[in-house]
Amino acid sequence: MINRSIVRVLVTSAVLAAGLALAGCNTDEISLANNAKANQPVPARLIAEMQEKDMDLQSPMLVRLFKQEAELEVWKQTRSGQFALLKTYPICRWSGDLGPKVKEGDRQAPEGFYAISPAQMNPRSAYYLSFNTGFPNAFDKSLGRTGSELMVHGDCSSRGCYAMTDEQIAEIYSLGRESFFGGQRSFQFAAFPFKMTPVNMARHRNNPNMPFWKMIKQGYDHFEVTKQEPKVEFCEQKYVFDPAAPAGSTKPLVFNAAAKCPAYSVPSEIADAVAAKQQQDEARTNELIAKGTPVAMRRPDIDGGMNKIFASKLPDGSTGLSDSEAPGLQSVAMARAPGTIPPHVNPPKPNLAPSSASLFAAPDEPTVAASPETRVASVSSEGGFFSSLAKKVGIGNSAETTAVTSAPAPVAAKPKVAKPGRPAEPARPMVAGTPRQVPTPADSKVATAAPRPPLKPTVAADQPISSGGGSLAGAAAVVPANSFDSRFSATR
């Protein structure tokens, strides 16, 4: 009898131990799913768009970001195996200047190629939701660059981060979550100073960061010609894209960011296509320079940028270093903002440089759910920029006040918005279950600003789509779950 009891205890202990071991293997999945904000479904309209573009809900994704344009792109792999653009999100706020992050406290948002794993997703962020960019990567470390907790997050407030609205980050987070559930081990996050076009390369030709930008442009070009995620390695303090072992070699390639590069080759079909593109780009860049394309004015007095769709909604709003060629905010003043703009948002200083770039509009985005404290653009008889614009185009008078969003009547006196001075995002690794939240300075700041609902209406308004049902009907996996293991090996 005693022996049976002992056996029963041992068996029970073994079962519990096995259960814990299994839970440990799925820690990322559990922590991704056991949070209300982080478990919001991908909006039905986005699911429908994926179907139209021959994408699966849980197919691999890739993210590209551009400071000057203040845009974040989400790409998804189609059933053909190539990536296609799913959606472009306007960035609400980024800080610093064009150029890479160099040291802790310089307010720079990172530039370069990074890998985002499930462990870098933060479902309990002080800024609604977030993911860590992974800065510094092996290349950054080889140059002695420092910085930590550089995020893409909500709350539209940045100090070295890329800030979206809460609604936007909820959607981006849900797309990443589904790709992880589909087997993707990490998704690539590539941050650029601007779209690497001949026009931009000509305009910024005298910028001291140009050697670095030409280096990461190689990765940009690899993706442009193949529409495949470029494999990224580091050696000799530089980036290497799509390296492969030389013909006849039997040894695996070993890369070290601070050491000499091993003998490698780039597949000829990729190398030839990239070389042709670069030759064409350089010829066009030289042509633009010869024609007298003006050099972009450096503005170290301006801290970061903001997409014009958001700047048009704020008193004295400015795009700062973003969209430096844009003629103004008039064309987007009546467009909807993609999400809630918190009252504490501090836009960049006005950029007085001449401008002529094309404007960005988002007519299909949801209406901003403004809080009572949020100022919105309007046309009234009290004067100001929008009033003058209305008179020029013949839009009514004080009796015809036009607001971009539903909000209380505009306040006559414009209160000055103080900078929140938020501390950097605290490190919060994803773990199983829901541990008790420990108060942090960042959390206390958020608590004293303006309370936000846990789930945003622009996300919840869509019909729920189950996040655990696998790929869309009829979908077939294009990339095996373990095909991403070899990527970013130098960063692990």
Side-chain angles (χ1 to χ4, degrees):
M1 190 72 177
I2 296 176
N3 289 337
R4 288 183 180 178
S5 300
I6 294 175
V7 170
R8 186 176 299 172
V9 169
L10 291 175
V11 171
T12 304
S13 299
V15 171
L16 290 174
L20 290 173
L22 289 174
C25 293
N26 295 288
T27 296
D28 292 335
E29 196 164 312
I30 290 173
S31 52
L32 279 169
N34 287 352
N35 179 279
K37 290 185 295 184
N39 203 34
Q40 295 177 64
V42 176
R45 56 178 168 74
L46 210 51
I47 296 287
E49 192 167 346
M50 288 184 208
Q51 292 175 329
E52 292 176 2
K53 296 182 177 182
D54 199 31
M55 301 169 178
D56 294 330
L57 173 62
Q58 295 188 339
S59 67
M61 67 178 277
L62 178 148
V63 173
R64 299 200 306 178
L65 184 146
F66 306 97
K67 287 181 177 177
Q68 181 175 281
E69 291 80 7
E71 292 178 356
L72 182 150
E73 298 176 343
V74 172
W75 295 67
K76 290 277 286 180
Q77 192 179 58
T78 65
R79 294 186 181 100
S80 70
Q82 290 188 314
F83 281 83
L85 181 62
L86 173 61
K87 185 172 180 179
T88 300
Y89 296 85
I91 298 173
C92 196
R93 193 72 168 89
W94 61 271
S95 63
D97 197 356
L98 299 182
K101 184 172 184 64
V102 175
K103 61 181 180 180
E104 185 86 48
D106 62 5
R107 293 186 64 83
Q108 285 292 102
E111 295 175 4
F113 288 77
Y114 301 88
I116 314 301
S117 67
Q120 290 164 246
M121 308 288 279
N122 188 355
R124 301 178 185 88
S125 173
Y127 305 102
Y128 198 72
L129 289 169
S130 66
F131 65 81
N132 193 318
T133 63
F135 179 93
N137 61 19
F139 167 80
D140 300 318
K141 292 176 182 177
S142 72
L143 296 177
R145 294 177 175 175
T146 58
S148 59
E149 307 307 324
L150 281 304
M151 304 278 179
V152 176
H153 58 67
D155 200 45
C156 193
S157 179
S158 170
R159 193 176 72 179
C161 296
Y162 294 107
M164 318 299 291
T165 62
D166 292 353
E167 291 87 349
Q168 287 177 311
I169 193 62
E171 194 168 291
I172 296 167
Y173 192 102
S174 70
L175 289 169
R177 178 197 68 221
E178 294 303 322
S179 291
F180 292 139
F181 287 166
Q184 187 173 19
R185 303 299 296 273
S186 64
F187 66 82
Q188 190 172 97
F189 173 76
F192 301 96
F194 40 73
K195 293 186 177 179
M196 313 299 274
T197 63
V199 172
N200 282 329
M201 298 300 282
R203 291 186 65 251
H204 295 279
R205 59 188 178 272
N206 291 343
N207 193 295
N209 292 302
M210 185 52 71
F212 169 72
W213 291 341
K214 286 184 176 179
M215 179 173 62
I216 62 175
K217 182 180 182 294
Q218 295 179 35
Y220 178 94
D221 291 340
H222 275 240
F223 179 74
E224 286 292 306
V225 301
T226 66
K227 290 300 184 287
Q228 298 277 2
E229 176 185 313
K231 182 178 179 181
V232 180
E233 296 288 359
F234 313 97
C235 57
E236 298 178 9
Q237 296 183 329
K238 66 180 181 182
Y239 279 87
V240 176
F241 299 98
D242 290 319
S249 175
T250 57
K251 295 182 180 180
L253 293 178
V254 178
F255 287 88
N256 185 318
K260 184 178 179 179
C261 294
Y264 71 90
S265 63
V266 176
S268 58
E269 62 275 14
I270 299 178
D272 293 345
V274 170
K277 181 183 186 303
Q278 291 180 341
Q279 184 177 7
Q280 183 179 2
D281 287 351
E282 288 174 9
R284 178 57 179 159
T285 299
N286 293 334
E287 180 184 347
L288 291 168
I289 293 174
K291 289 182 177 179
T293 298
V295 176
M297 183 186 301
R298 297 201 69 195
R299 298 297 303 274
D301 57 312
I302 298 178
D303 181 25
M306 169 181 279
N307 191 284
K308 63 180 74 68
I309 191 70
F310 296 110
S312 69
K313 306 296 182 287
L314 299 172
D316 303 319
S318 168
T319 57
L321 297 175
S322 292
D323 296 306
S324 57
E325 294 185 348
L329 306 179
Q330 301 95 318
S331 324
V332 293
M334 299 303 176
R336 292 179 177 180
T340 305
I341 306 176
H344 59 255
V345 171
N346 219 5
K349 295 179 182 179
N351 189 344
L352 304 179
S355 50
S356 63
S358 60
L359 291 173
F360 174 84
D364 60 337
E365 295 290 357
T367 304
V368 59
S371 63
E373 299 88 351
T374 304
R375 296 293 302 273
V376 294
S378 63
V379 178
S380 70
S381 61
E382 295 184 13
F385 171 78
F386 291 104
S387 177
S388 301
L389 172 63
K391 292 177 182 178
K392 289 180 182 179
V393 299
I395 300 178
N397 49 29
S398 60
E400 296 177 87
T401 301
T402 305
V404 240
T405 63
S406 58
V411 182
K414 291 190 295 185
K416 293 188 177 181
V417 182
K419 289 187 177 181
R422 295 172 179 270
E425 176 85 354
R428 297 180 182 180
M430 299 179 62
V431 294
T434 308
R436 181 173 60 88
Q437 182 69 44
V438 179
T440 64
D443 292 331
S444 62
K445 285 283 185 180
V446 173
T448 56
R452 297 184 303 279
L455 301 181
K456 293 296 175 176
T458 54
V459 177
D462 293 289
Q463 296 179 1
I465 302 295
S466 173
S467 62
S471 302
L472 297 178
V478 177
V479 176
N482 62 356
S483 63
F484 291 83
D485 281 338
S486 61
R487 300 185 185 276
F488 297 91
S489 59
T491 64
R492 292 172 181 168

